[in-house]
Structures are given as C-alpha cells and as structure tokens.
Amino acid sequence: MMLKKVSLGVVLLVLTLCNLNAQQHLDPEYIKVTNERAAKIVEALKLSDTEKEQTLTTIIGEQYRNLSRLHDGRDAKIEALKNSDLPKEKLDSKIEKLKSKTDKSINKLHKKYISVLSKHLTPEKVDAVKDGMTYGVVPKTYAAFQDMLPNLTEAQKKYIYDNLVEAREHAMDAGTSKEKHAWFGKYKGRINNYLSAQGYDLNKESDDWHKRIEAREKAKN
C-alpha cells in the first residue's frame, strides 16, 4: 500500500512539473526571449529579405523552444525519479533510459531542423546559424589554433576543424551555455591529445603564443 502511495506521488510530481514546463514554453515572455535570440542570429546573416528573415526567426525561435521543452521534460522526470524510493541500481537504469530516449528525440529534432533551414539557406548560411547558436566558438577556436600553431599541416588543420564542427553539432542542441561549452571542451581535449601525439609541446606553444599576443598589443599602443 505504501509503495502505491509513493508511486502515485511520483506520478503526480511528474505531471505537475511537466505542466509547469508546458506553461513556460507557451509563456509570451519566454516566446519573446527566444524570438529575440533568434532575431540576432538572423540579423547577422545579412539576408536583405524581410520576409525570409521573419520566417527564419520563427524557425530558429521554435527550435530553441522545442529543445527547451525536451530538456526540461527530461529533467522534471529525472527529478521525480530521484524523489522516489527506488533502489540506486534501478534508479540509475531508469535515468539512463530516460536520457537515451530524450537524446533520440533531440537527434530527430536536430535533423528536421537542419533540413528546414537548408530549404531557406545556403550551406554556408546554415553553418552561420549553427555558429550563432553556439557563440561563434568554431571560427574563433579554429583561428586561435592556427594563430598559436602557424606551422600546422593541412591534415592537422582539417582534424582540428572537423572536430570543432562535430562538437558544434552537439553543442547547438545543449540546454544551457555551460553544456554548450562543455561539448567544445570535450572536443578541444581530443584535439590537444592529437596535437601532442603529433609532436607539439602545447604548454610551450601556448606560452609563446601569449607572448606574441602581448607584443602585438604593445605594438598597437
């Protein structure tokens, strides 16, 4: 009887949290915030087409809201599970299944989103949208690697760029700024390991690079 009461409480908690999440995604203020975020990305595309700009702002804003709905729904269910009396092993298993199910939904949403963007934009502009959703980390980091290591081979440059692009595909679906940067951090670690194996002393290279940056700043002044 006690187990049934606990289970009912968990169900009610899930329903309550999910209902709050649903209300948030319908909240006019939340819609306004996501549309403003989308509008900044679209503005940077310099399309010179008001109708297309409005269409893309709607598409990107809706993507933010859809991602938030999936992340928040997952987190609400995880929180409810943690408040249950499930044994740790069973709890961990249920949480992993829940995360896996959400990841599949996010991957499906990602593919659909890119497909829709591609109907309105060139591949280059689609990449620009991805960069807008991830704070421009790919071009900034790729440029930084090349500036720090001016003697990179074309194969090494390709490895760095490809890994940053792969990180961006994950980061653009992340729920928070911290999670987005965590994806890039993971792939930068992979890049650093690769470069170390290629014979680079990254600590020394980084020190030398910062000295060059300081010298440039002094030269400007």
Side-chain angles (χ1 to χ4, degrees):
M1 184 68 175
M2 181 66 181
L3 188 59
K4 288 184 179 179
K5 288 183 179 179
V6 171
S7 299
L8 179 59
V10 171
V11 170
L12 289 173
L13 178 58
V14 170
L15 290 174
T16 300
L17 291 171
C18 288
N19 185 49
L20 288 173
N21 289 333
Q23 289 176 13
Q24 174 187 325
H25 301 123
L26 293 173
D27 179 62
E29 186 59 30
Y30 181 74
I31 293 173
K32 179 185 176 184
V33 169
T34 49
N35 282 342
E36 287 175 349
R37 195 183 303 168
K40 288 181 180 179
I41 294 173
V42 173
E43 183 181 0
L45 299 178
K46 301 185 185 305
L47 299 175
S48 301
D49 184 330
T50 303
E51 186 176 347
K52 181 176 283 190
E53 288 174 350
Q54 291 175 343
T55 298
L56 286 163
T57 297
T58 300
I59 292 169
I60 297 170
E62 187 66 24
Q63 178 69 1
Y64 276 121
R65 292 189 288 277
N66 285 335
L67 285 170
S68 184
R69 175 176 52 79
L70 289 171
H71 286 296
D72 291 349
R74 175 203 61 201
D75 294 344
K77 291 174 183 176
I78 289 175
E79 185 63 26
L81 285 170
K82 288 180 177 179
N83 287 323
S84 71
D85 64 343
L86 288 172
K88 186 179 185 306
E89 185 176 340
K90 194 167 185 179
L91 173 65
D92 291 344
S93 175
K94 282 185 173 293
I95 288 175
E96 282 307 309
K97 287 179 181 178
L98 183 56
K99 287 181 178 179
S100 178
K101 182 179 179 181
T102 304
D103 286 344
K104 287 179 181 178
S105 296
I106 289 173
N107 288 336
K108 185 177 180 180
L109 178 66
H110 180 100
K111 291 177 182 177
K112 181 179 179 181
Y113 176 58
I114 299 304
S115 176
V116 172
L117 286 179
S118 298
K119 292 177 181 178
H120 299 277
L121 298 169
T122 64
E124 291 75 20
K125 294 293 187 183
V126 171
D127 283 345
V129 172
K130 294 178 181 181
D131 285 330
M133 295 181 74
T134 53
Y135 317 116
V137 172
V138 169
K140 291 175 185 175
T141 306
Y142 184 54
F145 269 114
Q146 292 183 87
D147 193 34
M148 182 175 72
L149 304 170
N151 296 319
L152 286 168
T153 66
E154 290 305 312
Q156 290 166 346
K157 290 178 185 177
K158 184 177 186 303
Y159 183 90
I160 293 169
Y161 184 74
D162 288 349
N163 273 272
L164 290 173
V165 166
E166 186 174 330
R168 183 178 64 190
E169 292 301 302
H170 295 291
M172 63 185 285
D173 293 334
T176 65
S177 172
K178 183 178 179 180
E179 289 171 355
K180 289 177 188 289
H181 285 295
W183 275 110
F184 284 109
K186 176 181 178 180
Y187 278 81
K188 279 189 234 178
R190 182 182 295 180
I191 292 168
N192 288 341
N193 289 338
Y194 165 78
L195 292 172
S196 294
Q198 292 281 302
Y200 288 98
D201 182 343
L202 293 178
N203 288 329
K204 182 179 183 304
E205 296 288 356
S206 180
D207 288 341
D208 291 345
W209 180 44
H210 283 94
K211 288 176 184 177
R212 294 198 300 272
I213 291 174
E214 288 177 9
R216 287 177 203 159
E217 291 302 316
K218 288 180 181 179
K220 286 180 183 178
N221 296 328

